[in-house]
């Protein structure tokens, strides 16, 4: 399985959050592991955005030290390997880990160290980071993230993403940023079409985005769906997350079915493994139950994911070989 859409801050083991909080004397809403697990899991269709975001704050509270960041990333790589993931692109927001004095560079170095050790101690997973800039953040902090992506590209960083409040800070505000990424040869995706309409997605694609995070609202615009197909843009769909944030209210109505049937390159991700209480397997089961998709369908989506991964072609070949082995074995 290939995982192209997972955020570190929503995927830290609850026990680790607790242990780090105790070590650091940091605040947690509860110090009981089971209670914390329950707190972290968002109920379906959590309409209160502030409530939803509070879950991620817990990770940012404790992931402000190199050792803690290294550990969280290491454990995530191990967890994904245990689940049978062959390759993962793990998103993080470096500027949110600088509250207690780390530089973005130190944050990224610590995360890459966590990836490298995690890969070494695992069966066969490979992983890279995707560094995220944030809608509405200070321009200088976003630019500092781009500088880190330039520095570590193909040395632990695969590409970039733009996350955050799509309605409040529309995609057109970030066209200049996309141009810098294009000039620097940094592949990128954009979280778009989740809280804003088709134009947000179109703008991202026309400015060089190779993948779109979610892209739910593209379905409202047939010409856009055609454009996504023609340009071989991958949509990174995270079904459980979409239900939780209420962008889709019933899995049977999820546009992933129409996209897939239309030949759009859809890939499946977990978004936030702990907060969404999910794994790739659970997502596949959800989709299987809703649409009757089989192993062949999921194999195809994994092939799309390999094609869309921000990897050199040799690495993709290796993944194609492994995928074939798994699905035919
Ligand atoms: Zn996401």
């Amino acid at each position: 399985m290939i995982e192209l859409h997972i955020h570190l801050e929503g995927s830290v083991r609850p026990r680790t959050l607790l242990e780090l909080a105790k070590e650091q004397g940091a605040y947690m809403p509860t110090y009981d592991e089971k209670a914390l697990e329950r707190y972290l899991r968002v109920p379906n269709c959590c309409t209160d955005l502030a409530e939803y975001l509070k879950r991620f704050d817990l990770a940012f509270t404790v992931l402000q030290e190199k050792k803690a960041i290294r550990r969280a990333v290491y454990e995530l790589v191990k967890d994904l390997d245990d689940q049978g993931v062959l390759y993962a692109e793990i998103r993080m927001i470096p500027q949110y880990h600088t509250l207690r004095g780390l530089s973005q560079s130190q944050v990224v170095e610590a995360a890459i160290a966590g990836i490298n050790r995690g890969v070494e101690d695992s069966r066969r997973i490979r992983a890279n980071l995707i560094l995220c800039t944030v809608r509405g953040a200070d321009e200088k902090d976003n630019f500092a993230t781009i500088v880190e992506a330039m520095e570590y590209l193909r040395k632990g960083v695969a590409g970039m993403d733009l996350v955050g409040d799509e309605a409040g800070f529309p995609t057109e505000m970030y066209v200049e940023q996309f141009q810098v990424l294009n000039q620097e040869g940094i592949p990128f995706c954009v979280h778009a079409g989740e809280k804003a309409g088709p134009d947000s997605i179109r703008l991202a694609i026309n400015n060089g985005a190779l993948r779109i995070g979610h892209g739910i609202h593209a379905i409202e615009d047939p010409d856009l769906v055609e454009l996504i197909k023609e340009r071989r843009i991958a949509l990174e769909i995270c079904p459980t997350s979409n239900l939780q944030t209420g962008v889709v209210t019933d899995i049977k109505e999820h546009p992933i079915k129409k996209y897939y049937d239309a030949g759009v390159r859809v890939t499946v991700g977990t978004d936030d493994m702990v907060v969404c209480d999910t794994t790739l397997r659970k997502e596949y089961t959800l989709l299987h139950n809703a649409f009757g998709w089989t192993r062949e369908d999921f194999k195809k989506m994994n092939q799309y994911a390999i094609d869309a991964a921000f990897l050199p072609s040799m690495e993709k070949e290796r993944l194609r070989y492994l995928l074939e082995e798994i699905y035919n074995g």
Side-chain angles (χ1 to χ4, degrees):
M1 294 182 291
I2 310 296
E3 167 67 278
L4 295 184
H5 197 124
I6 181 162
H7 296 260
L8 171 67
E9 64 270 22
S11 309
V12 184
R13 292 178 191 168
R15 176 175 295 179
T16 299
L17 287 178
L18 273 185
E19 286 176 7
L20 291 172
K22 282 181 192 159
E23 260 173 54
Q24 299 172 9
Y27 169 80
M28 285 284 134
T30 165
Y31 292 86
D32 176 78
E33 192 182 330
K34 287 279 160 236
L36 187 69
E37 259 174 45
R38 278 196 301 277
Y39 174 87
L40 284 166
R41 287 176 192 154
V42 179
N44 263 7
C45 206
C46 183
T47 44
D48 185 344
L49 186 68
E51 268 299 306
Y52 187 69
L53 294 177
K54 266 206 275 185
R55 270 90 184 163
F56 302 101
D57 281 349
L58 298 188
F60 294 126
T61 302
V62 293
L63 298 185
Q64 300 292 336
E65 297 175 7
K66 286 196 254 184
K67 203 172 97 194
I69 295 169
R70 220 162 36 225
R71 174 179 172 181
V73 174
Y74 170 84
E75 290 175 352
L76 179 52
V77 171
K78 292 281 291 170
D79 290 345
L80 292 169
D81 183 61
D82 285 344
Q83 292 165 19
V85 173
L86 296 173
Y87 175 66
E89 290 183 355
I90 299 171
R91 283 163 164 79
M92 74 179 308
I93 308 171
Q95 60 186 281
Y96 282 6
H97 300 270
T98 58
L99 304 176
R100 295 211 297 264
L102 288 182
S103 65
Q104 289 203 35
S105 186
Q106 289 172 314
V107 170
V108 175
E109 269 172 35
I112 292 175
I115 286 203
N116 290 342
R117 238 188 71 213
V119 167
E120 263 171 42
D121 288 355
S122 292
R123 290 177 304 164
R124 58 181 173 190
I125 193 171
R126 300 279 170 91
N128 278 308
L129 293 177
I130 288 195
L131 304 185
C132 304
T133 51
V134 184
R135 294 175 189 266
D138 195 303
E139 217 176 308
K140 118 180 156 318
D141 292 331
N142 277 345
F143 190 73
T145 308
I146 298 174
V147 170
E148 293 314 316
M150 282 154 63
E151 177 72 26
Y152 292 102
L153 191 66
R154 292 183 206 95
K155 290 178 271 181
V157 171
M160 292 198 71
D161 186 11
L162 172 65
V163 301
D165 180 1
E166 190 187 4
F169 301 92
T171 302
E172 56 254 37
M173 290 174 69
Y174 298 92
V175 167
E176 228 172 281
Q177 183 178 303
F178 302 151
Q179 280 162 0
V180 174
L181 299 183
N182 288 323
Q183 276 160 16
E184 296 299 327
I186 301 173
F188 65 97
C189 43
V190 175
H191 271 69
E194 189 185 13
K195 300 282 178 192
D199 288 347
S200 178
I201 301 168
R202 183 177 277 109
L203 200 64
I205 293 173
N206 285 336
N207 284 284
L210 299 173
R211 303 188 332 221
I212 297 293
H214 302 297
I216 301 299
H217 290 289
I219 201 69
E220 295 153 21
D221 183 339
D223 290 344
L224 177 60
V225 175
E226 204 43 48
L227 179 80
I228 291 172
K229 205 175 129 185
E230 256 172 42
R231 300 249 186 114
R232 300 164 70 89
I233 302 294
L235 297 185
E236 306 165 357
I237 309 260
C238 309
T240 300
S241 165
N242 297 148
L243 291 170
Q244 286 184 343
T245 53
V247 281
V248 174
T249 47
D250 178 352
I251 188 65
K252 293 214 163 66
E253 304 295 317
H254 200 298
I256 188 172
K257 168 88 168 104
K258 286 188 182 131
Y259 292 145
Y260 183 65
D261 290 346
V264 168
R265 300 177 153 257
V266 290
T267 70
V268 180
T270 54
D271 219 7
D272 301 290
M273 222 159 55
V274 170
V275 171
C276 296
D277 186 18
T278 192
T279 60
L280 272 184
R281 269 181 215 290
K282 283 194 193 175
E283 296 299 316
Y284 291 2
T285 303
L286 182 71
L287 293 167
H288 165 77
N289 291 339
F291 307 122
W293 285 343
T294 62
R295 268 173 77 82
E296 274 307 304
D297 296 304
F298 295 114
K299 180 180 171 190
K300 193 167 184 183
M301 285 176 223
N302 277 300
Q303 284 166 336
Y304 287 154
I306 294 173
D307 294 344
F310 294 152
L311 279 175
S313 50
M314 282 292 282
E315 269 296 297
K316 291 189 187 193
E317 268 315 308
R318 188 186 144 269
L319 290 174
R320 283 190 193 103
Y321 176 81
L322 286 174
L323 192 74
E324 226 24 77
E325 210 176 59
I326 288 165
Y327 275 91
N328 294 337

